[in-house]
Amino acid sequence: VASKDNTVVILTCNMGQSALLVNFACSARRRGFDLGNVLVFPSDVETKELAEGLGLATYYDEKNMGPLPSGEARRYGDRNFKAMMYAKVLCVLYPLMLGYDVLFQDVDIVWLKDPMEYFHDESSNLSQFDVIFQHDGSQSVRYAPYSANSGFYYVRANKRSQYLFTSLLYHSDLIITWDSHQQVLVQLLAEHSSLFGLGVKVLGRDTEMFPGGYHYHRNRSFMRKFIRRETETYIFHMSWTENKDNKLLFLRQLGEWYVTDECVGKTATDILGGDGVVSSGENTALVQPCCAKEPIFSCHYRDKPSKLPCKNSPPIDTNGKSFW
């Protein structure tokens, strides 16, 4: 993997969530982004082969990640969800200890502009912060005081950030107890900011540059502008969504789904037959069969934002009003 300004983009994924990883790669490729500095930490061989078949570099830590579940989480905080939070700690800690800055992101994200341009903007004051987080949208006490979203953030490699994520690893028992990697991380942000001078910034909840599930479910005026491409948006994060199935449906009707049906939930061997893909970061054997040239649109819920009107679809929320 080639770092860009000493920064690597880190994702981790298992087979259960692999369709979202494929969508990130396909949508980014179709928009012309360079993915040479993206490194995927797969937790199983099947996801490793899928990522490499899309031209992504991988690091498979079989000793630590091999025992993790390959199935998808059915809801926030369930057993599979908590187990995969361990992978989210390790995959950030490793490159930080090697001296690389990290842009970590969940797989349920699509890029509209290269986020590196924002974090590396020398005219901004961001260089004074050690960690920069997307706002979660929730103002609950559970995520106080920062309301940081642990699914998209930038970390500068230094002694303060290395100690933060080492401490997060040492607090793995709390992740299991609290059902949340995010809650533990937010508490450590407060502690390390106070005790060790960690520079923490959380982007504004209402910024149009880094929207997520809060905007999708709660801010219809923004979503109408987003659909018309009238916003200065870098990424869209389909957070605040119960499970992978709903994320897929929401992304499809938002016009941000680029994975052909034959590749959803399938292994490289299922798609290509025979021996699947050869382990090589240069291999792109899955791009042609899996990446649609244009987004694949379909209606599912009339009360959720959609690129085109979905008035004839059922609502997903009780008494949900049509978006259009």
Side-chain angles (χ1 to χ4, degrees):
V1 63
S3 68
K4 184 184 295 183
D5 294 329
N6 197 52
T7 303
V8 289
V9 179
I10 298 294
L11 304 91
T12 186
C13 187
N14 67 3
M15 187 60 200
Q17 299 286 339
S18 61
L20 294 168
L21 172 65
V22 177
N23 187 61
F24 164 72
C26 288
S27 64
R29 281 187 170 277
R30 293 313 186 207
R31 288 187 164 112
F33 292 115
D34 178 9
L35 299 179
N37 65 327
V38 173
L39 178 61
V40 178
F41 282 71
S43 64
D44 49 57
V45 172
E46 292 80 8
T47 306
K48 175 179 182 291
E49 292 178 347
L50 283 172
E52 291 174 350
L54 293 164
L56 301 175
T58 67
Y59 178 71
Y60 179 42
D61 180 5
E62 185 174 6
K63 181 177 181 179
N64 285 303
M65 296 192 183
L68 297 179
S70 60
E72 67 194 79
R74 296 309 306 170
R75 62 174 179 83
Y76 182 94
D78 72 11
R79 187 172 182 177
N80 285 0
F81 180 93
K82 288 187 287 187
M84 286 304 297
M85 295 306 101
Y86 177 62
K88 291 179 70 170
V89 177
L90 291 180
C91 70
V92 174
L93 179 60
Y94 288 169
L96 283 180
M97 297 303 287
L98 292 173
Y100 291 100
D101 298 345
V102 170
L103 174 60
F104 174 82
Q105 67 167 65
D106 285 343
V107 291
D108 57 345
I109 282 176
V110 292
W111 288 5
L112 290 95
K113 295 196 295 184
D114 186 347
M116 292 297 185
E117 296 175 1
Y118 178 83
F119 294 110
H120 292 163
D121 183 0
E122 295 181 357
S123 66
S124 73
N125 67 346
L126 294 178
S127 61
Q128 65 183 286
F129 297 103
D130 300 311
V131 290
I132 306 165
F133 285 80
Q134 179 187 35
H135 198 289
D136 181 78
S138 171
Q139 304 280 26
S140 71
V141 173
R142 187 181 192 192
Y143 301 135
Y146 288 114
S147 296
N149 188 300
S150 59
F152 184 81
Y153 57 88
Y154 187 88
V155 190
R156 301 187 193 283
N158 55 41
K159 294 298 183 183
R160 292 181 297 274
S161 64
Q162 290 168 348
Y163 186 40
L164 170 69
F165 282 90
T166 300
S167 298
L168 183 58
L169 177 63
Y170 291 165
H171 284 80
S172 296
D173 58 329
L174 281 182
I175 296 176
I176 296 172
T177 301
W178 291 353
D179 296 340
S180 172
H181 159 275
Q182 180 179 359
Q183 186 177 359
V184 180
L185 180 54
V186 168
Q187 296 307 310
L188 288 175
L189 289 177
E191 180 178 291
H192 283 238
S193 174
S194 175
L195 293 178
F196 310 117
L198 180 76
V200 180
K201 181 176 180 62
V202 177
L203 303 171
R205 182 175 71 170
D206 296 318
T207 177
E208 64 178 32
M209 291 184 286
F210 298 96
Y214 163 77
H215 301 78
Y216 186 79
H217 297 289
R218 299 281 181 86
N219 193 335
R220 290 191 169 192
S221 61
F222 169 82
M223 291 307 301
R224 291 189 178 94
K225 289 177 60 181
F226 175 83
I227 289 167
R228 296 194 299 265
R229 292 296 186 259
E230 296 174 355
T231 64
E232 294 297 320
T233 299
Y234 284 88
I235 63 103
F236 185 86
H237 184 188
M238 191 55 78
S239 54
W240 279 35
T241 305
E242 184 176 22
N243 54 47
K244 182 259 295 181
D245 294 339
N246 281 347
K247 291 175 188 284
L248 189 158
L249 299 181
F250 293 162
L251 286 166
R252 280 184 73 115
Q253 75 173 42
L254 192 56
E256 296 294 344
W257 188 256
Y258 285 81
V259 185
T260 58
D261 290 344
E262 65 187 274
C263 293
V264 174
K266 301 295 179 61
T267 66
T269 301
D270 292 335
I271 298 163
L272 298 174
D275 296 326
V277 289
V278 179
S279 295
S280 169
E282 298 299 316
N283 182 26
T284 57
L286 292 176
V287 172
Q288 193 279 327
C290 293
C291 297
K293 293 182 178 180
E294 299 293 334
I296 299 171
F297 173 84
S298 57
C299 282
H300 299 281
Y301 304 111
R302 67 170 179 259
D303 56 338
K304 295 300 176 183
S306 57
K307 186 175 183 179
L308 299 173
C310 293
K311 295 180 181 179
N312 294 326
S313 299
I316 188 173
D317 295 333
T318 303
N319 300 319
K321 296 180 180 179
S322 177
F323 176 76
W324 287 86

